[in-house]
């Protein structure tokens, strides 16, 4: 029986793709696209809002997303389900070290930093969309 050597994977420069058949691979990180049926686990060290695309909304149509704060602190903004409804404002979830939030499938969201942070994202990236944020939201 031959064995493949097991090596450490740097989670800050690679992503883990988990396939439905149980196969797990370390690959390059992608913000959009990727393996059609693979879930991506990606870890990021971020020091500015620009690194978390705070000026863009993001949406994953195929699956929920776990947004995890490993160190530091972030604010997760969720766009109203029905934009333009009177009185509908963005909702905000504050994440601190060791906490996570589950963003519903198809829900537009964005992040802003409270401090330099280590974040982890777990989602199916297929069909991920980005939309520039406007002054109105």
């Amino acid at each position: 029986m031959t064995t493949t050597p097991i090596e450490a994977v740097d989670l800050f420069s690679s992503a883990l793709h988990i396939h439905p058949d149980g196969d797990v691979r370390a690959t390059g990180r992608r913000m959009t696209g990727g393996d059609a049926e693979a879930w991506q686990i990606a870890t990021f060290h971020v020091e500015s809002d620009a690194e978390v695309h705070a000026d863009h909304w993001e949406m994953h149509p195929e699956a929920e997303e776990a947004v995890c704060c490993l160190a530091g602190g972030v604010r997760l903004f969720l766009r109203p389900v029905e934009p333009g409804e009177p009185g509908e404002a963005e909702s905000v979830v504050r994440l601190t070290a060791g906490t996570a939030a589950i963003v519903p499938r198809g829900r537009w969201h964005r992040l802003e930093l409270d401090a330099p942070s280590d974040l982890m994202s777990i989602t199916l990236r297929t069909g991920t969309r980005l939309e520039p944020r406007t002054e109105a939201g």
Side-chain angles (χ1 to χ4, degrees), residues 46-52 54 73-75 77 94 111-117 119:
V46 290
E47 300 213 4
S48 72
D49 284 341
E51 293 174 286
V52 293
V74 298
R75 283 164 286 141
F77 291 86
R94 191 170 297 275
L111 296 173
E112 289 183 10
L113 298 182
D114 288 332
S117 302
L119 306 175

Side-chain angles (χ1 to χ4, degrees), residues 32-88:
T32 59
D35 294 341
E37 297 194 8
W39 283 76
Q40 178 175 271
I41 299 174
T43 307
F44 308 88
H45 176 76
V46 290
E47 300 213 4
S48 72
D49 284 341
E51 293 174 286
V52 293
H53 62 77
D55 61 343
H56 279 71
W57 291 101
E58 178 181 60
M59 187 266 289
H60 310 286
E62 301 296 324
E64 286 75 28
E65 178 181 21
V67 177
C68 312
C69 181
L70 305 176
V74 298
R75 283 164 286 141
L76 170 66
F77 291 86
L78 300 156
R79 197 157 72 181
V81 175
E82 296 294 328
E85 289 290 316
E88 282 291 322

Side-chain angles (χ1 to χ4, degrees), residues 4 10 21 57 61 63 70 79 88 101 105 107 126-127 129:
T4 303
D10 179 352
D21 65 0
W57 291 101
L70 305 176
R79 197 157 72 181
E88 282 291 322
R105 173 189 324 237
R107 187 77 183 267
T126 304
R129 293 174 40 203

Side-chain angles (χ1 to χ4, degrees), residues 81-115:
V81 175
E82 296 294 328
E85 289 290 316
E88 282 291 322
E90 298 172 355
S91 56
V92 181
V93 178
R94 191 170 297 275
L95 299 176
T96 57
T99 64
I102 309 300
V103 178
R105 173 189 324 237
R107 187 77 183 267
W108 289 96
H109 60 284
R110 64 184 182 85
L111 296 173
E112 289 183 10
L113 298 182
D114 288 332

